[in-house]
């Protein structure tokens, strides 16, 4: 490895398994000291335990790296504050935050309970907001003290947040919200030396193995496992390093060996009457605009 993150202190949430685990190990391999956060919950967010986080810490230390476990709920103010405090108290600094924690409660909209909506929004969207809030408050204080950091945040969205996904209304809404949060936070915190980007990864994890069972099975004897979560981590590590200077407010889709810069919402065909439309006129003008615009990509699972 190149030591790309040597001396940096990195927090990864939801790092006990899947993508988070892969990110934590990749950062450690590049010389970072890692705070491994994981609440140890099941796929649906129930239960808890310190085992997954500590297992990743043990893997890192066994390889000669430095890491510490954190098992509090980062979707609470106290849990998020203690996450940042763990980095500062253990290593004396914080350089990079990777927001990754999440779980699924998939239902079609007519069967989606309010509790399932709230739980998924809480862990994904609030679980991004609170660590981000406490981390950027620290970096703002550092800047005001004359120590402007080279801070990095990588948020985790999804193709479901970009295009929608049938049966995942709660998850899609939360992941779309993370993109909006990323864009606002990047604009607000640039003055404090903070760069904030988002990724929309695709990989084989607990959250995707049932959805993509036919296409995401680990290959037998193949030289390259296209769906391994480790394929996503190199981009995350680079974004979390000082080498990514100047890159902020961007969304990247990443899968296997592919990296795509997502362009997001931008103005398409437009018409301006210069006065108020009648409903019939507005409809006719809209149909004309749609005839010259690109059709939207279908939501995942749409037929």
């Amino acid at each position: 490895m190149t030591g790309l993150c040597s001396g940096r202190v990195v927090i990864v949430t939801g790092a006990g398994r899947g993508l988070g685990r892969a990110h934590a190990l990749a950062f450690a391999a590049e010389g970072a000291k890692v705070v491994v956060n994981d609440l140890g919950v099941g796929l649906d967010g129930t239960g808890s335990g310190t085992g997954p986080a500590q297992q990743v810490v043990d893997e890192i230390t066994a390889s000669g790296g430095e890491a510490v476990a954190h098992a509090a709920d980062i979707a609470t103010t106290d849990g998020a504050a203690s996450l940042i405090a763990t980095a500062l108290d253990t290593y004396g600094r914080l350089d990079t935050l990777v927001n990754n924690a999440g779980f699924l409660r998939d239902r079609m909209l007519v069967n989606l309970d309010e509790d399932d909506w709230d739980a998924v929004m809480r862990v994904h969207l609030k679980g991004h907001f609170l660590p981000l809030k406490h981390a950027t408050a620290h970096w703002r204080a550092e800047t005001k003290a004359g120590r402007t950091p080279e801070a990095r945040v990588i948020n985790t969205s999804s193709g479901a947040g970009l295009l929608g996904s049938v049966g995942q209304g709660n998850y899609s809404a939360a992941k779309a919200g993370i993109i909006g949060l990323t864009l606002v936070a990047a604009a607000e915190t640039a003055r404090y030396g903070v760069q904030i980007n988002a990724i929309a990864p695709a990989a084989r994890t607990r959250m995707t193995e049932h959805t993509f069972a036919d296409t995401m099975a680990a290959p037998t004897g193949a030289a390259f496992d296209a769906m391994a979560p480790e394929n996503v981590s190199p981009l995350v590590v680079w974004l979390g390093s000082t080498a990514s200077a100047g890159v902020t407010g961007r969304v990247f889709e990443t899968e296997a060996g592919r990296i795509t810069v997502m362009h997001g919402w931008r103005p398409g065909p437009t018409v301006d009457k210069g006065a108020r439309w009648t409903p019939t006129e507005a409809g006719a003008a809209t149909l004309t605009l749609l005839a010259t615009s690109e059709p939207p990509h279908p939501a995942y699972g749409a037929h």
Side-chain angles (χ1 to χ4, degrees):
M1 295 298 177
T2 63
L4 186 65
C5 293
S6 180
R8 291 181 72 79
V9 175
V10 177
I11 290 172
V12 184
T13 70
R17 304 178 180 93
L19 284 167
R21 172 183 173 275
H23 299 340
L25 294 174
F27 272 109
E30 291 292 345
K33 301 175 178 68
V34 186
V35 179
V36 179
N37 163 266
D38 201 286
L39 193 55
V41 300
L43 182 59
D44 64 352
T46 58
S48 63
T50 60
Q54 189 59 51
Q55 288 172 10
V56 175
V57 169
D58 292 344
E59 286 187 73
I60 291 172
T61 56
S63 299
E66 295 185 56
V68 62
H70 178 271
D73 184 356
I74 47 83
T76 67
T77 294
D78 289 345
S82 73
L83 176 66
I84 307 308
T86 295
L88 299 177
D89 293 345
T90 306
Y91 300 120
R93 60 185 295 137
L94 173 62
D95 300 287
T96 298
L97 167 65
V98 181
N99 284 315
N100 171 76
F103 56 73
L104 295 176
R105 292 192 184 177
D106 292 352
R107 302 283 191 279
M108 300 298 280
L109 284 174
V110 295
N111 296 319
L112 185 62
D113 293 335
E114 185 176 353
D115 288 346
D116 293 331
W117 175 273
D118 289 344
V120 169
M121 294 295 286
R122 177 184 180 276
V123 69
H124 287 280
L125 194 49
K126 191 175 181 182
H128 271 63
F129 159 64
L130 286 174
L132 178 60
K133 171 184 170 68
H134 288 279
T136 53
H138 164 69
W139 290 322
R140 181 181 64 175
E142 287 289 284
T143 298
K144 290 184 175 181
R147 300 184 295 271
T148 301
E150 292 181 286
R152 306 287 188 264
V153 178
I154 300 93
N155 291 330
T156 306
S157 183
S158 168
L162 298 170
L163 300 177
S165 180
V166 173
Q168 293 188 308
N170 50 1
Y171 178 74
S172 297
K175 289 304 192 182
I178 287 168
I179 293 174
L181 176 63
T182 298
L183 300 180
V184 172
E188 290 184 352
T189 62
R191 72 187 72 179
Y192 308 129
V194 184
Q195 294 182 183
I196 303 177
N197 296 285
I199 60 167
R204 185 193 315 105
T205 70
R206 288 194 307 166
M207 290 173 57
T208 60
E209 61 183 357
H210 297 297
T211 304
F212 301 108
D214 295 335
T215 59
M216 300 185 80
T220 301
F224 176 52
D225 180 355
M227 289 293 100
E230 290 78 9
N231 298 332
V232 175
S233 300
L235 175 61
V236 174
V237 170
W238 182 80
L239 288 171
S241 75
T242 58
S244 64
V247 179
T248 193
R250 293 287 194 162
V251 179
F252 301 90
E253 194 172 52
T254 174
E255 173 186 351
R258 177 173 57 83
I259 297 171
T260 303
V261 178
M262 305 304 290
H263 284 159
W265 292 106
R266 52 173 47 188
T270 185
V271 63
D272 184 356
K273 180 182 177 180
R276 183 178 300 154
W277 301 92
T278 67
T280 300
E281 289 173 335
T286 299
L287 290 174
T288 299
L289 293 175
L290 290 172
T292 61
S293 66
E294 294 185 12
H297 288 276
Y300 290 108
H303 298 290

